[in-house]
Amino acid sequence: CIRDRSKSVVTSRRSFIKGAVAGAVSAGVAPVMAAPAPQNGLPAKWDGEADVVIVGFGGAGATTGIVAAQNGAKVIILEKNPQNHHYSNTRMSGGIFHCPFKDGDPKALKDYAQAMFSGENIDWKEEGEIPEYSEGLAQLWADLSPTNLEFLQSLDPAFIGGSQPGFNKASFPNFPGAKECKYNAYRATYQKRMKNFNQKSVDSPKEETSSGEAFWRCLEEGVKKQGDNIKVYYETPACSLLKNAKGEVVGVVATQNGKPVYFRGKKAVVLCSGGYEYNKPMRQAFLEGPGVDGWAFYGTTSNTGDGIAMGMAAGAGLQKVGKSAARVIVPAQTRYNGMRIGSITPAVGSANSIVVDNYGNRYEAETKVTDNPSRYFFYKAAVTFDISSLSYPRTPSWMIFDEKLRTSKPLVGLGISTVGYGFIDWDEKNEKPIASGLILKADSIEELANKIKQHPENKGRMIPANLVEQVTRFNKFCDDKKDADFGRRPATLGKIEQGPFYAMPLVAGGPNTKGGLLADADRRVLAWDGTPIPRLYSVGEIASALKFVYQGGGNLTECLVYGRHVGKNVAGLPDTTL
């Protein structure tokens, strides 16, 4: 095992983050003595034993562990982060989860889920994404997703599913079953009158939280209720799997305080360690377009593809690894593992702004960047390859806006994501990124175009006359109340006319990658030939079911649906032998 010694993100918001960067040991975890070196692949002595070992303590790992414990299993969860800097994608998310109404048609719900996952039940779809397993995945979704709120409230009766306008319906109305399934989604909260999440909420009493923070606090309550049946080892990154002579996965090798430690999973090992957002070789191998500088992500920096690498080393196949839930977002100047950290950027598509390519031309209705559901695959537009110039003309893209928008609201989400959890420093009036040079400022559109042209990432491609013409044309559309070029929503047509003027770079990115390990409907990890790797399972973004399209909140939903299913199944398995 090789411990990740990459330089961590340094933030100034909280002393405990600085402590984590310095390698502070989390409280509450007793030190363990490293076992002797493995003999014939297995250790002579295990440092910890349980029925089920789970790698990763986010929404997928927590749900799987809770349900396994509820069904009589002893559980060990291995988490790479310190306890006081434990920020998963689940916790940093918007806290949206699907919970279709129970009076909807179950068959319609299954059909709609199968269309989202794979699409082979859609007449015009050329090829299903996961046709061998999509029906089983969809059946579980139909069986369990309508009880997601009920499950969470069983963990903590104080938890509330807040109404979420725009998410309380099927995002794809032309899909089979969309109308009859009575689709719905909630936003996690503990507040009867939900307020916007703010940076203080992470340190606030549970009752004052909402979004991903509330969702995570609920799962934490569920873990605590299991008492000694779940033990979490913080600062214990897993790095390889152990098999017995039969080829069954029987344990995990991890590191603790720089030494190898060995954990026995008598019934199963479940990989819940997320995607590969901050693994440079994987990004270069799998992502479309310039995988390093052409992308940014606004989830946890802890997602470095560990579980994917472990699964591959154990013989796992891969599936649709290039898939992401992504749009175009602002990349910060902060980096981790040499890659940009981004922020959720809800201001894209606002009045008084447009988005242009490196030549100064608009290329889509800007509202598609943030509207549901197009926002979750807008990255496809961003990484378009020009076969004549052999370049990516929209990497980066540029958000052009005026003083009216700059002073009206934050351009990024201040309460969730990387800003809300202290990875990026941003202010309400957007002055800090201007002062740092991330956002360019000019007194005229022509001057702004020339500043973009001089920017190293533009590579001199900007044509100032193009940008001037595009802004003039857009302003006329605002007068006409109709975007004649791209059909942008009329309510967002506000002129770019109040100087000074600004340009902010945008690159492909979002909360997480979705592709990864090949797994079946029961979430058993599979070899390339489709045979299961015995006693190895995966839940969450490491092997997302949402391979075709994505509806907001889908990743938290699959944590609940498949975590519950896998947790129950593995708890009932017989013990393996060594």
Side-chain angles (χ1 to χ4, degrees):
C1 293
I2 300 174
R3 190 179 179 90
D4 183 4
R5 292 182 172 85
S6 300
K7 186 176 180 181
S8 299
V9 178
V10 178
T11 66
S12 60
R13 190 162 67 84
R14 291 191 186 89
S15 61
F16 68 75
I17 293 180
K18 292 180 180 178
V21 170
V25 178
S26 62
V29 178
V32 299
M33 297 299 292
Q39 301 295 321
N40 299 321
L42 296 177
K45 179 182 178 182
W46 298 93
D47 297 288
E49 293 190 46
D51 296 309
V52 181
V53 174
I54 296 171
V55 177
F57 192 31
T63 303
T64 305
I66 289 167
V67 175
Q70 289 175 338
N71 283 273
K74 295 284 188 179
V75 178
I76 285 174
I77 301 178
L78 305 178
E79 170 55 44
K80 71 194 297 185
N81 285 315
Q83 190 170 8
N84 64 352
H85 189 229
H86 177 219
Y87 297 151
S88 63
N89 271 359
T90 295
R91 192 172 182 182
M92 295 171 68
S93 74
I96 307 296
F97 62 97
H98 304 182
C99 189
F101 295 115
K102 291 183 178 180
D103 61 348
D105 182 342
K107 171 63 165 57
L109 180 54
K110 176 186 174 183
D111 290 343
Y112 182 71
Q114 189 173 6
M116 284 197 299
F117 297 163
S118 188
E120 75 267 11
N121 60 340
I122 301 172
D123 291 340
W124 45 261
K125 181 72 163 57
E126 287 85 0
E127 177 184 327
E129 306 290 290
I130 42 177
E132 296 84 359
Y133 317 112
S134 66
E135 185 175 356
L137 288 165
Q139 186 63 63
L140 287 169
W141 196 272
D143 291 343
L144 294 177
S145 65
T147 62
N148 279 338
L149 178 58
E150 182 181 318
F151 169 72
L152 290 166
Q153 290 179 332
S154 75
L155 305 181
D156 188 352
F159 179 84
I160 299 170
S163 176
Q164 186 65 15
F167 287 81
N168 55 353
K169 60 182 179 181
S171 291
F172 305 95
N174 62 328
F175 279 10
K179 182 179 179 181
E180 297 82 6
C181 71
K182 294 192 177 180
Y183 218 76
N184 178 57
Y186 294 111
R187 181 183 175 196
T189 183
Y190 279 96
Q191 304 175 67
K192 291 184 178 178
R193 177 171 289 185
M194 192 165 21
K195 300 176 183 178
N196 287 330
F197 179 93
N198 59 62
Q199 292 181 354
K200 295 180 181 178
S201 294
V202 68
D203 301 319
S204 297
K206 178 187 70 177
E207 293 73 20
E208 298 177 13
T209 63
S210 63
S211 302
E213 184 68 22
F215 190 93
W216 177 247
R217 298 283 187 100
C218 182
L219 290 177
E220 273 191 322
E221 290 292 322
V223 170
K224 291 175 185 176
K225 280 187 175 180
Q226 309 315 311
D228 293 338
N229 290 327
I230 297 180
K231 184 172 183 180
V232 181
Y233 288 85
Y234 291 96
E235 294 188 278
T236 308
C239 54
S240 63
L241 300 170
L242 295 171
K243 293 182 180 181
N244 63 12
K246 297 179 182 179
E248 297 169 317
V249 175
V250 296
V252 177
V253 185
T255 59
Q256 197 172 81
N257 298 321
K259 298 179 180 179
V261 284
Y262 306 94
F263 294 93
R264 167 89 161 103
K266 292 186 287 186
K267 298 181 183 297
V269 171
V270 188
L271 299 175
C272 302
S273 53
Y276 59 89
E277 294 91 88
Y278 288 93
N279 183 305
K280 185 176 180 180
M282 287 187 183
R283 280 174 59 160
Q284 290 172 318
F286 302 134
L287 291 180
E288 296 182 58
V292 179
D293 282 344
W295 284 76
F297 287 93
Y298 55 77
T300 178
T301 55
S302 298
N303 281 7
T304 52
D306 306 349
I308 295 174
M310 291 166 60
M312 291 175 66
L318 300 175
Q319 189 170 56
K320 300 291 184 181
V321 195
K323 292 282 186 173
S324 293
R327 60 198 85 172
V328 287
I329 63 171
V330 58
Q333 291 159 320
T334 309
R335 288 179 179 259
Y336 181 81
N337 280 355
M339 288 160 287
R340 290 165 153 172
I341 297 176
S343 175
I344 189 169
T345 317
V348 180
S350 296
N352 317 113
S353 72
I354 58 173
V355 173
V356 300
D357 63 16
N358 276 303
Y359 299 94
N361 297 313
R362 291 178 71 209
Y363 58 89
E364 264 292 2
E366 291 81 359
T367 45
K368 286 186 177 181
V369 178
T370 49
D371 280 353
N372 192 30
S374 55
R375 59 181 173 150
Y376 293 109
F377 8 91
F378 194 88
Y379 75 93
K380 293 280 189 180
V383 296
T384 296
F385 184 66
D386 186 325
I387 61 173
S388 297
S389 65
L390 304 182
S391 67
Y392 294 91
R394 302 167 183 173
T395 302
S397 294
W398 300 88
M399 180 177 171
I400 309 299
F401 60 100
D402 69 2
E403 181 74 353
K404 185 175 181 180
L405 177 56
R406 197 276 298 176
T407 58
S408 67
K409 60 183 178 182
L411 299 174
V412 302
L414 294 183
I416 62 172
S417 174
T418 46
V419 176
Y421 285 86
F423 292 88
I424 295 173
D425 192 15
W426 203 286
D427 62 297
E428 289 191 17
K429 295 297 183 182
N430 310 296
E431 293 172 338
K432 289 182 178 179
I434 296 171
S436 72
L438 176 64
I439 295 177
L440 306 179
K441 178 181 179 180
D443 292 327
S444 69
I445 296 297
E446 186 174 9
E447 181 189 356
L448 186 65
N450 281 302
K451 287 192 173 185
I452 295 172
K453 187 172 185 176
Q454 295 165 15
H455 193 283
E457 291 186 65
N458 182 257
K459 298 180 173 64
R461 290 176 284 182
M462 174 59 67
I463 300 173
N466 282 357
L467 185 60
V468 172
E469 192 275 335
Q470 290 287 289
V471 171
T472 301
R473 187 173 176 83
F474 176 76
N475 286 346
K476 183 180 184 302
F477 294 157
C478 295
D479 289 333
D480 297 340
K481 296 181 172 53
K482 181 180 179 180
D483 178 2
D485 287 342
F486 300 105
R488 176 169 158 174
R489 275 193 289 112
T492 68
L493 296 176
K495 288 185 176 182
I496 303 170
E497 60 180 355
Q498 182 179 332
F501 303 96
Y502 303 91
M504 182 171 72
L506 301 171
V507 297
N512 57 274
T513 56
K514 295 191 301 177
L517 297 180
L518 180 62
D520 66 9
D522 286 324
R523 304 286 77 192
R524 297 180 299 175
V525 177
L526 308 176
W528 282 107
D529 63 2
T531 58
I533 297 174
R535 306 304 181 96
L536 182 63
Y537 295 78
S538 63
V539 179
E541 294 161 7
I542 189 174
S544 177
L546 291 147
K547 291 289 195 299
F548 176 35
V549 295
Y550 185 82
Q551 178 161 338
N555 286 137
L556 292 187
T557 308
E558 65 180 328
C559 290
L560 298 177
V561 168
Y562 302 114
R564 290 156 68 189
H565 178 70
V566 171
K568 182 178 179 180
N569 280 0
V570 297
L573 293 173
D575 290 356
T576 54
T577 57
L578 298 178

